[in-house]
């Protein structure tokens, strides 16, 4: 039977700042822009004890905790630590799939045979990541990706949880349906209205009765609720598109906060592009406003890119149409028409050094490049024939 680990860095952005500023460790801390209208990106576990969580307005969080520490977003720090984290995990198995900047799946079916006790490998990884990077992680151990993900969420921070198939009924079924990985927030109330209030309810439900709500994935969700998941570890980085999206519990109205939220998602797209060494040409931006208006806009670039600066500039141009119309509750950015960077054929221009080339200049340069006198002007041909 396969042994899959899901490894998740606990409160990653908050933990990352404690790495470079140890005096922040143990303090109620949030990551976001420190100005009016800011929405929290991440809250440390100490801050969560006060009822503070991500997507909460900073102004409200500060009423819950007077000693709340606010630190600004630092993309370069997160990318650096994420890269080091992934490299550590990859040293245990090449069958590793990054799931986001702070989590991954890894197949250790063969590696775990080297250890006297199976859990020793998980303890070693957890200890090593903390020793080398000072990052706390939780690990789920299971026979498939879905159960590993559910297991890692069961004990945080710094937990190691095993979830076996035979334990699905006792450990998984009792959890509320909103805790099931893959069930979106919009789907939860629909399921609850149908009497599906726990994962166990879903596991025992009739497929036909749920099809209108869960669509073509109905049987897949029922299988997962029963602990069955055949999805493989995806080590192939080939992708048709790379995208990021975010739903906000409290609508964003301040332009600075909307810009920061958009940039945050674009930086994650850039990180994923760099990891895959890919570039793309088509940018798609989707938005939902507080008045429930939704829209999507796209733009195709002349040249493929992986630059967050280029993508950000274009997305903000697309956002201009909606600026000031209403609060923003959802954003999505994606880059498609992807190719590997080393597959790009760059078209060379042999006339770059000519400011305003004439016809004679162009013909002369072409003949020079070909080392033959093959290109001629109509006038020169007529003159030659008239002689």
């Amino acid at each position: 039977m396969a042994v899959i680990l899901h490894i998740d860095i606990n409160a990653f952005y908050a933990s990352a700042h404690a790495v470079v500023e140890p005096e922040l460790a143990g303090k109620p801390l949030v990551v976001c822009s420190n100005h009016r209208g800011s929405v929290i990106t991440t809250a440390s576990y100490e801050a969560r004890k006060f009822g503070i969580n991500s997507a909460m307005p900073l102004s409200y969080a500060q009423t819950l905790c007077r000693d709340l520490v606010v630190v600004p977003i630092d993309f370069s720090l997160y990318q650096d630590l994420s890269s080091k984290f992934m490299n550590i995990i990859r040293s245990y198995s090449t069958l590793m799939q990054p799931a986001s900047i702070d989590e991954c799946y890894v197949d250790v079916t063969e590696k775990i045979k080297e250890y006297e006790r199976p859990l020793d490998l998980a303890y070693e990884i957890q200890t090593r990541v903390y020793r080398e990077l000072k990052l706390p992680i939780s690990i789920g151990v299971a026979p498939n990706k879905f159960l590993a993900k559910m297991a890692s969420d069961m004990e945080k921070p710094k937990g190691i949880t095993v979830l076996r198939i035979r334990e699905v009924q006792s450990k998984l079924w009792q959890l509320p349906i909103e805790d099931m990985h893959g069930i979106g927030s919009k789907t939860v109330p629909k399921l609850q209205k149908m009497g599906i209030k726990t994962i166990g309810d879903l596991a025992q439900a009739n497929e036909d009765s749920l099809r209108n709500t869960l669509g073509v994935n109905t049987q897949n969700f029922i299988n997962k609720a029963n602990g069955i998941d055949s999805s493989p570890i995806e080590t192939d980085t080939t992708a048709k598109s790379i995208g990021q999206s975010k739903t906000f519990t409290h609508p964003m109205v301040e332009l600075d906060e909307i810009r920061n939220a958009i940039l945050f998602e674009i930086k994650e797209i850039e990180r994923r592009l760099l990891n895959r060494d890919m570039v793309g040409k088509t940018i798609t931006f989707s938005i939902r406003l507080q008045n429930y208006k939704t829209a999507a806009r796209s733009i195709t670039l002349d040249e493929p890119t992986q630059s967050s600066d280029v993508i950000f500039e274009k997305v903000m141009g697309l956002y201009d149409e909606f600026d000031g119309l209403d609060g923003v509750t959802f954003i999505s950015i994606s880059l498609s028409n992807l190719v590997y960077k080393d597959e790009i054929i760059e078209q060379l221009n042999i006339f770059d050094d000519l400011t305003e080339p004439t016809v004679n200049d162009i013909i002369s340069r072409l003949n020079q490049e070909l080392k033959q006198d093959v290109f001629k002007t109509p006038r020169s041909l007529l003159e030659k024939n008239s002689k």
Side-chain angles (χ1 to χ4, degrees), residues 173-191:
W173 281 12
Q174 62 185 338
L175 298 177
I177 190 64
E178 57 262 35
D179 286 356
M180 181 170 172
H181 177 59
I183 297 292
S185 58
K186 285 188 175 181
T187 305
V188 169
K190 296 178 183 178
L191 292 174

Side-chain angles (χ1 to χ4, degrees), residues 190-191 194-196 201-202 204-215 218 222:
K190 296 178 183 178
L191 292 174
M194 299 171 64
I196 308 297
D201 293 334
L202 177 59
Q204 301 170 81
N206 178 273
E207 180 183 357
D208 293 334
S209 66
L210 297 176
R211 197 176 302 280
N212 287 337
T213 302
L214 297 178
T218 301
I222 292 174

